[in-house]
Amino acid sequence: MIDISKYVYKYETHLHTAESSKCARSSAVDMMKALKEAGYAGTFISDHAWGGNTAIDRSLPWREWVEEFAKPYYEAKKWADENDFMVLFGYEAGFNATEFLIYGVSPEWLRDHEEFHDADIPKQLELVHEVGGIVVHAHPYRVEPYIPEIRLLPDCVDGVEGVNATHSSHLSKSHNEPSWNDEAIAYATKHKKFMTAGSDVHSVNLFGGGILTDEPMTCFEDFKNLWLSDKMYLLTDGDRIYDRYGNYLADCD
């Protein structure tokens, strides 16, 4: 029996900022303030990169593009370091609207690898894996006009975003279809991939999604070790709580 009350540390894994994602509406620092006030212990910043809905001018030289892209992360981290909050760098890689959450690389490393710009999906994900990064397939079953087809690449990813709060939170005003989470959980289970949960949040109007742990985490390696181990953590969309395998446990208070 899982004692849910022990899982008091909440982390957002899927968040966009207005500085780097065209679809976002709130600044990085405002997002951090809202998360901390809502009781989160930390977050990844996962803005849309050059292959997705980026707000950064794609005509910039690669190194300049990366520097502009990473600015909200550095601004958020500065605020977080001063306010007992954890911020980690990530990004959402887009390939004709098939999207992956990338964790475990740094802006500096990205800046020095211009081959990312023109690499296909397998090559980009291979480069991430070479430096110990993690690749998570974001909302793999979402169906919208901007997504021409569902493409699944189980051999290229480490994990699957099993719970995307945008699909199922009562607070979400777009992409509302809980069955897309059910399909993602089944996909992850079939291919024995670990699962994440995130809000896919674009403003300070938070949904409350993310992962819950019973111990605090301070760096990417903590997350990687958690995901790749058998240690229990919980998934939530802000309304419901699931175990790490996607089994429903309880409604949120």
Side-chain angles (χ1 to χ4, degrees):
M1 187 72 176
I2 298 172
D3 184 356
I4 295 174
S5 66
K6 292 182 178 180
Y7 294 80
V8 297
Y9 302 97
K10 183 188 283 191
Y11 299 92
E12 181 61 80
T13 65
H14 194 163
L15 174 145
H16 299 279
T17 75
E19 294 94 334
S20 280
S21 293
K22 270 188 183 176
C23 44
R25 299 182 296 282
S26 299
S27 73
V29 171
D30 284 346
M31 295 290 274
M32 299 308 103
K33 292 177 180 177
L35 286 170
K36 185 170 175 61
E37 185 175 348
Y40 283 83
T43 187
F44 284 95
I45 290 183
S46 55
D47 279 312
H48 290 291
W50 60 96
N53 199 18
T54 182
I56 310 302
D57 183 357
R58 290 185 179 87
S59 69
L60 289 172
W62 175 253
R63 292 173 69 88
E64 291 181 33
W65 188 92
V66 174
E67 288 173 4
E68 290 298 315
F69 177 73
K71 278 184 178 179
Y73 159 70
Y74 287 117
E75 291 169 0
K77 190 172 189 318
K78 181 178 183 298
W79 183 91
D81 289 345
E82 296 169 352
N83 289 275
D84 190 28
F85 196 67
M86 185 210 70
V87 171
L88 297 178
F89 178 74
Y91 66 91
E92 188 165 6
F95 306 91
N96 198 23
T98 299
E99 295 178 306
F100 303 91
L101 295 164
I102 307 299
Y103 308 119
V105 302
S106 69
E108 294 77 17
W109 184 83
L110 196 60
R111 181 195 62 205
D112 294 337
H113 288 77
E114 189 169 351
E115 62 267 36
F116 265 92
H117 190 276
D118 299 315
D120 61 14
I121 297 176
K123 182 58 179 177
Q124 280 204 34
L125 304 188
E126 177 187 337
L127 289 167
V128 170
H129 284 137
E130 284 179 0
V131 293
I134 288 287
V135 177
V136 172
H137 196 148
H139 44 70
Y141 286 92
R142 180 180 291 174
V143 178
E144 294 289 3
Y146 74 92
I147 302 175
E149 63 177 322
I150 291 175
R151 292 185 291 173
L152 305 176
L153 293 92
D155 294 335
C156 293
V157 304
D158 305 291
V160 173
E161 186 179 52
V163 177
N164 183 301
T166 302
H167 297 167
S168 54
S169 168
H170 74 282
L171 298 173
S172 174
K173 307 242 187 287
S174 64
H175 309 312
N176 298 101
E177 182 46 70
S179 68
W180 296 339
N181 286 348
D182 296 337
E183 290 177 288
I185 289 170
Y187 171 55
T189 301
K190 176 181 177 181
H191 292 280
K192 297 181 172 56
K193 304 295 182 181
F194 71 80
M195 277 184 263
T196 65
S199 297
D200 199 356
V201 68
H202 290 67
S203 78
V204 295
N205 298 317
L206 307 177
F207 301 152
I211 67 170
L212 305 170
T213 66
D214 60 353
E215 295 178 350
M217 294 188 284
T218 61
C219 62
F220 165 69
E221 289 302 324
D222 288 344
F223 284 89
K224 183 176 180 179
N225 292 337
L226 178 72
W227 288 331
L228 300 183
S229 73
D230 293 326
K231 182 174 172 56
M232 181 55 69
Y233 59 88
L234 308 182
L235 313 171
T236 184
D237 63 358
D239 290 341
R240 292 157 289 274
I241 298 173
Y242 306 81
D243 67 18
R244 65 173 293 165
Y245 307 108
N247 299 305
Y248 170 81
L249 296 177
D251 287 348
C252 295
D253 294 333

